């Protein structure tokens, strides 16, 4: 399953759609027709707003998601750094073994 890359809606727009969905009692499909957005987007935005407000407990809040995203990025960076260091250490080890020490007592 591939992720589709669509232009993100502005935060203010998402907030207005969520407010409308929660306050009007209208179904997500009705709202999507009016604003030409997907039903899944409206449902996802409403669910996230409910998580952020504490109404739901079955997922991560926006700050938790941001922290998780940051931690995953940091882990990728650290793994890449570790791989580079391991390759450098192996290279230096080979160079040390193959290069004469320069201080020979002959």
């Amino acid at each position: 399953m591939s992720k589709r890359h669509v232009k993100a809606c502005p935060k203010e727009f998402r907030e207005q759609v969520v407010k409308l969905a929660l306050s009007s009692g209208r179904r997500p499909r009705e709202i999507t027709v009016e604003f030409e957005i997907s039903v899944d987007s409206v449902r996802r935005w409403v669910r996230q707003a409910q998580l952020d407000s504490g109404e739901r407990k079955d997922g991560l809040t926006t700050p938790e998601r941001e922290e998780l995203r940051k931690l995953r990025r940091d882990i990728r960076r650290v793994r890449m750094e570790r791989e580079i260091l391991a390759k450098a250490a192996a290279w230096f080890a080979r160079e040390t073994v193959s290069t004469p020490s320069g201080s020979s007592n002959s």
Side-chain angles (χ1 to χ4, degrees):
M1 183 174 178
S2 66
K3 287 186 178 181
R4 294 187 330 213
H5 294 285
V6 293
K7 187 175 179 182
C9 294
K11 181 180 178 182
E12 295 79 19
F13 175 75
R14 290 191 313 260
E15 290 171 350
Q16 288 177 343
V17 169
V18 168
K19 185 184 279 189
L20 180 64
L22 293 174
S23 66
S24 70
R26 293 169 57 188
R27 303 184 75 183
R29 183 157 309 283
E30 297 170 22
I31 295 169
T32 62
V33 171
E34 183 178 338
F35 293 101
E36 299 178 356
I37 51 179
S38 74
V39 174
D40 287 337
S41 292
V42 174
R43 287 185 180 136
R44 201 172 45 249
W45 298 343
V46 168
R47 180 177 185 270
Q48 191 62 51
Q50 290 171 328
L51 286 165
D52 290 345
S53 70
E55 292 176 52
R56 295 179 72 139
K57 300 288 183 195
D58 60 337
L60 299 174
T61 64
T62 299
E64 290 169 336
R65 284 183 181 279
E66 290 170 2
E67 181 181 12
L68 182 59
R69 205 172 295 128
K70 178 191 174 302
L71 291 171
R72 285 179 174 162
R73 189 173 39 248
D74 289 348
I75 287 171
R76 276 193 306 275
R77 180 184 49 78
V78 167
R79 284 181 176 158
M80 187 171 36
E81 290 172 356
R82 184 183 63 195
E83 184 179 324
I84 291 168
L85 289 172
K87 288 178 181 179
W91 183 84
F92 282 114
R94 280 193 310 274
E95 287 298 310
T96 307
V97 170
S98 65
T99 306
S101 64
S103 62
S104 71
N105 295 334
S106 25

